[in-house]
Amino acid sequence: MEGHSGKLIFGRLGGKDIVAMQGRFHFYEGYSMKEVTFPVRVMHELGIETLFVSNAAGGMNPTFSIGDLMVITDHINFFPEHPLRGKNLPTGPRFPDMHEPYSHELISMADEIAKEKGIKLQHGVYVGVQGPTFETPAEYRMYRILGGDTVGMSTVPEVIVACHCGIRVFGISIVTDLGGFDNPVEVSHEEVQEAANRAQPVMTEIMREMIRRS
């Protein structure tokens, strides 16, 4: 996909050894859920204990602005296929618990770092959908009524598999567009990329410090 080069990068950040995905596979591109989540399985085999995930997302919370960073506190899964469907793999139980998909400890750490650095962080629920169309005004309103604060086309499958593998997760949505309000706004992929690129350095600063303190 445009904007995603699909590489694994090995290096150091915050004084720790890391593996970074430069881009990811998306379900809407025609990949199966097993293919979409395969990198997380690889990371688990490499010994990864913590997964940091980020995404560009549409904001539905009226208190949000374009460029805001939203710490993901929970998610709602609207993907038509579940990533754990099929034979259970031995990394976790057949019916994994999902009461804390995003680590409360890591969320508290991010809040502390943001306060120290004077960075504004929002909090909320991410809605994962198939795509590839952006949402209609009615869909935005529906997801908001159901409890969503941002909506996007990734993240949820990877987080589910990470939880199945016993990997703790921290997630951030970059609010790249707004929807579901009285005046619908047209959005393009280019505008989403531009907003994400502007917010990325701040997000990286928080994650680097979190990795250093972990």
Side-chain angles (χ1 to χ4, degrees):
M1 174 195 170
E2 184 180 352
H4 294 263
S5 59
K7 296 178 181 178
L8 279 180
I9 300 173
F10 293 79
R12 289 182 66 81
L13 184 66
K16 303 285 175 58
D17 293 325
I18 67 163
V19 180
M21 288 180 62
Q22 189 176 8
R24 49 158 58 111
F25 302 105
H26 292 85
F27 188 67
Y28 65 73
E29 294 176 284
Y31 294 105
S32 70
M33 275 298 180
K34 284 186 170 51
E35 290 171 323
V36 168
T37 58
F38 181 70
V40 178
R41 298 285 185 192
V42 172
M43 290 178 183
H44 175 257
E45 294 301 319
L46 291 172
I48 295 298
E49 297 177 349
T50 304
L51 178 68
F52 289 78
V53 292
S54 64
N55 57 60
M60 302 172 288
N61 188 317
T63 67
F64 288 2
S65 302
I66 291 177
D68 278 358
L69 297 177
M70 186 198 84
V71 174
I72 304 174
T73 57
D74 205 343
H75 70 232
I76 300 173
N77 182 12
F78 264 95
F79 282 91
E81 181 182 329
H82 199 281
L84 300 182
R85 179 178 178 268
K87 183 179 179 181
N88 187 49
L89 296 178
T91 56
R94 171 74 281 186
F95 303 105
D97 179 76
M98 294 292 290
H99 82 280
E100 191 182 330
Y102 302 87
S103 167
H104 295 171
E105 180 184 359
L106 293 177
I107 291 171
S108 296
M109 185 189 298
D111 288 340
E112 182 180 341
I113 292 167
K115 184 177 180 180
E116 291 173 5
K117 295 180 177 292
I119 296 171
K120 174 186 174 185
L121 283 183
Q122 304 280 16
H123 292 74
V125 176
Y126 175 83
V127 181
V129 299
Q130 174 177 306
T133 53
F134 291 112
E135 289 66 41
T136 68
E139 288 170 338
Y140 271 123
R141 289 193 294 271
M142 177 188 72
Y143 295 139
R144 178 63 181 158
I145 289 169
L146 292 174
D149 296 286
T150 58
V151 58
M153 309 168 195
S154 64
T155 302
V156 170
E158 296 99 314
V159 171
I160 289 173
V161 168
C163 289
H164 186 252
C165 292
I167 298 172
R168 64 179 186 165
V169 177
F170 176 78
I172 283 186
S173 286
I174 299 174
V175 179
T176 54
D177 60 281
L178 300 171
F181 308 131
D182 292 336
N183 299 314
V185 179
E186 185 177 350
V187 62
S188 70
H189 181 66
E190 289 72 26
E191 290 170 328
V192 167
Q193 282 186 301
E194 184 179 341
N197 289 338
R198 287 198 302 268
Q200 186 173 336
V202 181
M203 179 185 68
T204 303
E205 183 178 359
I206 292 173
M207 289 187 173
R208 180 187 293 113
E209 183 62 19
M210 290 179 70
I211 292 169
R212 189 185 71 80
R213 297 186 187 186
S214 296

